[in-house]
Amino acid sequence: MAVKSSQLNVTDLDFDNISDNLKNYLKGQTIFKDYNFEGSTLSVLVDLLAYASHIGAINTNIAASELFLDSAQIRKNVVSRAKDLGFTPSSEKASTAVATMTLRNVRGGDGLVPSLTSMIMPRGTIFRTTYEGSNYEFVTATTYTPTVDGTTFTYSNLDLVQGTFAQDQYVFDSQLANPKFVLSNARVDKTRMTVTVNSGGVSSVYVLSTDVSTIDTTSKVYYTQENEEGFIEIYFGDGTLGAQLLDGDIISVDYIIVDEQHADGASKFTQISAINGYSDSQLVVTSNASGGAEKESIESIKFKATKFYTSQNRLVTLNDYKAKVQEYYPNADAVAVWGGEDNNPPEYGKVFVALKPNNADYLSDTEKKLVKDNLNKLNMLTVRPEIIDADIIKILITTTIKYNPSLTTLTAGELATLTKNTINQFDTDELNGFDAIFRHSNLLKVIDAADSAILSNTTNIRLKKKLKPTVSTNPKGYTVSMGNALFNPHAGHNADAGGIISTTGFKVGGDSVNTYYFDDDGKGNLRRYYLSGATRIYKDSAAGTVNYATGLISINAFILTSTVNADTSIDFTVIPSGNDVVAERGNLIDISSDDIKVTAEVDTIASGESSAGVGYTSTSTSSY
Amino acid sequence: MVDYVVNKGKNVAIKEAYKDLDLFFTAHPITGDVATKSDTDAVRRAVRNIVETNQYERPFKPGFGGNVRSLLFELDTDRKVRRAKAQLAEQIVNFEPRVTNVRCEFEFNGNNLDVTVFYNIKNGVSNQALQFIVNRTR
């Protein structure tokens, strides 16, 4: 860098540049001349000075970076900066299932049925599940009192929490300045923590402080924070913001140590710990295990802390809701929020929150209630939040690839599997949020690039959406919004073969024999029929309406008695008008892995089997 | 180091003296300033610095230095001695452009190694020699 040699350039941070600047500076004096020779003593001094400057510059740079939330890299500093904004990162969360357990044949050796008190299920009772080939242990986080009927004891709505039950105890000593109590395990579910303080023989349960405005001098609250090693530490009030502890008070902290693998989705449990010696039990799971999550990541803390600060613990704007929902439900894969005025049909005074968990399609009712209750504490009086399931539109892919067998050692079957995996990867990469758009041409490009032997592909799509009707003796109507225009090139298109809509089967009131389906006549009418052999017998040619332009299917009121799908649902499959699929409001689009159909065909021209196009077949763009 | 100045309308070549600090940083007996080395002494000091520096000692210059310490557990074979001499000479040539005709001589003296480095100073005094002894210190 050309500078006057009497000046020292101090802006560079790199060792070589600092060294060059020093030598440049030395050119401006006449006392020493040998600074340019590596072996000279002056060169040793120059190097030493440059080294010290370089290290100093690095340290300053790192220290300055760690001072700000945006640039901090070390977790303890990110947590500390977030604390300045009033944000506490969430801890690991244990996967939780809800079940009801019946304990049968409970009778003592004397023939008597034990008392209810002796049959209370203690906290920490162990259950086991086998999920995807591995065993996981779940425990109860609180005690449960059963109901009894003869020799059968029933424990309803058990919260089974994955992990290990643990307890830490401390003695309070006011001589220690600023006392904090560090839990002895790193992976602790903070939401399942119980803090009890025994003061002079009287035990009191302390609760986690979440809102400082409700705390007075006697509030029995504790505070938590993550310490530099990533462990949770708890501390208590100072007599102004929360009750102050006394010397000798015994603090007990019960908590769950969270497993490293979350068994989200586990649905079958067996009892391991006997209750009062009895273990002949049967468990009925009402809510599969869900909600397991890791400690909040550094990137997540940086993202949420600023949002949290902006929302100021109040729910006013849509972004406030988005930030809070992610705080209350850290396992969210995608969150979409919109006001009732934007809903279809508009519902004023409401705000809609669509949530998709990480490892499942829908939230359980318990989880929805939990999120809603939390949001209700902070929202404006006139606005009510509604937690709804994400409407998932599945894209069914049917693709035929042409390949040159001389360019690959893979068989047709292996190429088909490779293509299927490529499509699944495209789904993971491109369609993982609420605002995603399925771009057909991008998928074609990805399929062509899956293997050098693939020469071309013809890929057709259909859309599938699940309607969850209610089984009832009263007639009820439904709507299914595909969110995308439907294929209808002319009035009456494909009316004889069932139009462009197909569904799974269901049974209706008054006919317990036939299984019914819906299709359309291409003129905007939904028809209900059953099959006699391969012939469609229409029972209702105006069972509803189809709006091809908006993709809205309206079903007139009817009595549903059962569905072919085990989960009481009817799948609607349609052919869209365009090949690109967009997700609106609470819709999520997802390529259905089970419905990807890939056919690999040898390209007869490229392989030399046929020439001049004779005998070459191409796939129809309307084959599904 | 030759430079040119204009003296009475003519270009006159002058030789500026090399000038460096002494690595021992001894004080000048009269002025109390740090002692300096000049000309042949400065070059000798620089050659000595190169020879006595081990590799990885200088920050960000891992390849700098005669690396004599690396000879500590080497075998006393002709091949090794030749390689050591070449290594030492190469380092001096690479890092000290003021000298030429560098040659190293090793002489084994019991458990000691007497090393002599011969060199000429460019545009200066020829037939310079730097001698030092390598031995175990414990």
Side-chain angles (χ1 to χ4, degrees), chain A residues 15-16 19 23 30-45 47-48 51 54-55, chain B residues 1 16-23 25 36 42 45-46 49-50 58-61 64 95-98:
Chain A
F15 173 83
D16 286 331
S19 179
K23 286 174 185 170
T30 53
I31 302 172
F32 298 109
K33 295 290 180 190
D34 292 1
Y35 46 82
N36 253 339
F37 304 115
E38 295 289 349
S40 68
T41 305
L42 208 55
S43 180
V44 174
L45 291 183
D47 280 358
L48 209 57
Y51 181 69
H54 175 69
I55 295 298
Chain B
M1 187 182 281
E16 264 189 47
Y18 301 122
K19 203 168 184 189
D20 192 12
L21 288 168
D22 185 6
L23 196 61
F25 293 103
T36 58
R45 181 74 245 182
N49 283 347
I50 294 171
R58 288 280 282 273
F60 293 94
K61 289 175 184 165
F64 178 86
F95 292 107
E96 188 43 78
R98 292 174 288 186

Side-chain angles (χ1 to χ4, degrees), chain A residues 268-576:
Chain A
K268 285 180 182 165
F269 295 88
T270 49
Q271 181 191 356
I272 300 298
S273 309
I275 299 171
N276 197 16
Y278 299 97
S279 58
D280 179 10
S281 63
Q282 189 177 31
L283 276 120
V284 178
V285 174
T286 49
S287 176
N288 291 353
S290 64
E294 283 304 291
K295 182 194 286 190
E296 197 147 16
S297 68
I298 289 178
E299 286 310 312
S300 173
I301 296 171
K302 286 182 180 179
F303 179 76
K304 287 186 191 167
T306 47
K307 301 278 184 299
F308 174 86
Y309 184 67
T310 313
S311 76
Q312 293 287 335
N313 233 11
R314 293 284 178 276
L315 297 172
V316 182
T317 67
L318 293 183
N319 280 337
D320 297 347
Y321 278 91
K322 221 169 180 176
K324 270 293 163 197
V325 166
Q326 286 181 333
E327 185 190 330
Y328 291 138
Y329 194 76
N331 191 34
D333 183 25
V335 181
V337 183
W338 64 96
E341 73 280 7
D342 291 331
N343 200 50
N344 186 16
E347 290 189 44
Y348 298 102
K350 284 186 177 176
V351 59
F352 291 91
V353 179
L355 237 179
K356 184 188 173 296
N358 255 327
N359 309 315
D361 284 343
Y362 303 109
L363 284 184
S364 68
D365 288 342
T366 323
E367 289 171 319
K368 273 188 208 165
K369 186 174 180 308
L370 189 74
V371 175
K372 188 174 175 176
D373 287 350
N374 281 324
L375 291 179
N376 267 331
K377 290 176 193 162
L378 304 174
N379 67 334
M380 291 192 297
L381 280 176
T382 52
V383 179
R384 287 277 166 263
E386 287 289 331
I387 311 293
I388 60 171
D389 283 330
D391 266 349
I392 298 175
I393 297 178
K394 300 265 186 193
I395 301 175
L396 317 185
I397 305 273
T398 308
T399 184
T400 305
I401 56 171
K402 294 276 189 187
Y403 73 99
N404 184 349
S406 60
L407 292 179
T408 181
T409 55
L410 299 178
T411 63
E414 286 167 341
L415 266 180
T417 308
L418 176 72
T419 307
K420 189 172 178 180
N421 292 341
T422 305
I423 296 171
N424 278 327
Q425 190 57 45
F426 178 84
D427 180 39
T428 312
D429 294 344
E430 305 289 335
L431 306 176
N432 57 357
F434 275 99
D435 303 322
I437 294 177
F438 169 77
R439 298 181 196 278
H440 186 251
S441 66
N442 288 4
L443 178 64
L444 303 192
K445 204 161 51 186
V446 170
I447 294 174
D448 277 351
D451 192 281
S452 56
I454 298 176
L455 302 174
S456 66
N457 73 87
T458 307
T459 302
N460 298 318
I461 63 160
R462 285 173 301 155
L463 306 181
K464 185 165 87 174
K465 194 164 181 180
K466 198 178 270 293
L467 170 69
K468 286 201 158 185
T470 41
V471 173
S472 161
T473 52
N474 297 322
K476 202 172 173 200
Y478 304 94
T479 56
V480 179
S481 174
M482 287 295 175
N484 291 271
L486 307 183
F487 185 61
N488 187 237
H490 58 87
H493 169 71
N494 202 28
D496 294 342
I500 53 131
I501 296 176
S502 60
T503 67
T504 52
F506 56 93
K507 288 193 171 171
V508 299
D511 186 350
S512 59
V513 180
N514 295 310
T515 301
Y516 286 86
Y517 307 88
F518 287 120
D519 69 10
D520 71 301
D521 63 359
K523 293 175 187 166
N525 295 312
L526 195 69
R527 303 180 295 190
R528 180 161 53 84
Y529 67 94
Y530 66 86
L531 287 171
S532 170
T535 312
R536 298 181 184 210
I537 311 293
Y538 288 96
K539 289 294 282 184
D540 188 353
S541 292
T545 57
V546 182
N547 187 331
Y548 297 103
T550 61
L552 186 71
I553 302 166
S554 305
I555 305 156
N556 295 341
F558 72 107
I559 297 171
L560 180 80
T561 54
S562 68
T563 63
V564 172
N565 286 355
D567 60 347
T568 320
S569 68
I570 303 173
D571 293 338
F572 279 72
T573 306
V574 301
I575 300 171

